């Protein structure tokens, strides 16, 4: 849905703290799909940052926000 209809990639970092212990898995789509989203990190670094984010490392959350630009999570905030 998001890669077809949005010019920006969907990224919801908030759900980890909003609904703790609810999810057993998360998916990170690392495909090279042309959108307006800009990722300024290699895929290995991204995976490490996401792992740290899931483990509650606050600095990794801030770093993710710095290296991934032009994203949306308005669907999460409004409800799909």
């Amino acid at each position: 849905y998001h890669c077809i209809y949005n010019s920006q990639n969907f990224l919801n970092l908030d759900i980890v703290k909003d609904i703790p212990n609810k999810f057993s898995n998360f998916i990170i789509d690392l495909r090279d799909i042309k959108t307006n989203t800009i990722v300024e990190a290699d895929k290995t670094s991204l995976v490490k940052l996401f792992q740290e984010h899931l483990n509650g490392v606050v600095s990794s959350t801030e770093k993710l926000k710095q290296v991934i630009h032009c994203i949306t999570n308005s669907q999460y905030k409004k409800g799909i």
Side-chain angles (χ1 to χ4, degrees):
Y1 172 81
H2 303 291
C3 67
I4 294 172
Y5 294 107
N6 286 335
S7 61
Q8 303 168 332
N9 290 29
F10 179 83
L11 178 60
N12 183 6
L13 298 173
D14 298 333
I15 199 164
V16 175
K17 66 178 172 37
D18 289 350
I19 311 173
N21 304 315
K22 179 71 174 175
F23 302 98
S24 61
N25 294 292
F26 289 91
I27 296 174
I28 305 168
D29 187 346
L30 297 172
R31 293 179 292 170
D32 295 322
I33 298 171
K34 293 203 183 253
T35 63
N36 292 334
T37 299
I38 299 167
V39 179
E40 296 178 344
D42 61 76
K43 292 177 183 182
T44 302
S45 298
L46 282 176
V47 170
K48 288 179 184 175
L49 284 170
F50 277 109
Q51 286 174 327
E52 291 174 359
H53 171 69
L54 293 173
N55 289 325
V57 179
V58 176
S59 62
S60 64
T61 305
E62 294 306 314
K63 183 69 174 172
L64 280 167
K65 291 177 181 178
Q66 292 173 4
V67 299
I68 304 174
H69 306 281
C70 197
I71 55 172
T72 185
N73 72 344
S74 60
Q75 298 93 328
Y76 174 72
K77 291 182 178 185
K78 286 176 69 174
I80 294 181

